[in-house]
Amino acid sequence: MKEKRFVQIGSNPEKAVQGDYSLDVHAILKEGWALTQKNKQSILSGLSFIFLMGVIITLVASEYMGGLEEIMQNNQKQVSINLLVTALLWPFIAGVEMMGISHAVGIKTRTGFVFAFLKRSAYTAITALIIASITSLGFYLILPGIYLAVALSLTIPLIVEKQMSPMAAIILSLKATRFGWLKLMQIYSVFMLLLILSLLPGFVGVPAIISMFVFLVALFFLAPFYYNVKGILYREIFGVQMQVIDNKGDQDMFFSA
């Protein structure tokens, strides 16, 4: 039986917690955009599926809780719906995050990636709920919420790719990202600015149909760009371990998780 061979791409957790990594904002955005030119269809298809699932879950849960009008007037039920959607959708969103990481290490993806990591769905859902809860609390004071949202933005892939427990992944993310938090914030601010610009026509008197068209076109590029950049960030901070498999003289690499 052949011994399994692995290759580490990028950094690793041991280096990450010591701050032994560097983030070049311009280079990361440039690489992310280049990846987006080649790899966006699978991310867009995956996100479309997740959006449809979210709508269905929301409608079904709302009907069970008394209808949409009742939900809109009841803050407690709104929170319940949000938690339910978060728990049920994040195992699939994790697949989209792994698409970005795959692109960052040279692996092509397909829409089916949204289902590829469901074996970790319980841990993913728990982690997403914990992150949503603590960041929501942090946003009561605004700045702590912003800090946590950025610092924990790469936590979910740790659950999937490195098979960590929720608390271990959260702690590792907090320890590692504190060294590059400002650069992470710069990168996410670029996406926030781009999103605001894509919504701007709707606030300056442009007809609704044109505003919606501009927003959808922008989102067509912005969504995969965002996830590809996150994949690069994960590679540069935490690294990716790949298993090398010989296939009739050729070598392929797969996630070791």
Side-chain angles (χ1 to χ4, degrees), residues 167-209:
M167 290 311 301
I170 288 171
I171 291 171
L172 173 59
S173 189
L174 289 172
K175 286 182 176 180
T177 56
R178 73 185 192 271
F179 298 104
W181 189 91
L182 286 175
K183 290 190 175 181
L184 286 170
M185 183 63 185
Q186 290 177 43
I187 290 172
Y188 292 141
S189 295
V190 169
F191 285 99
M192 182 61 67
L193 178 60
L194 291 173
L195 181 61
I196 292 172
L197 290 175
S198 70
L199 291 168
L200 192 59
F203 296 96
V204 294
V206 176
I209 189 169

Side-chain angles (χ1 to χ4, degrees), residues 125-135 152 166-167 170:
I126 291 170
T127 306
L129 289 172
I130 293 173
I131 292 174
S133 299
I134 61 179
T135 52
L152 297 175
M167 290 311 301
I170 288 171

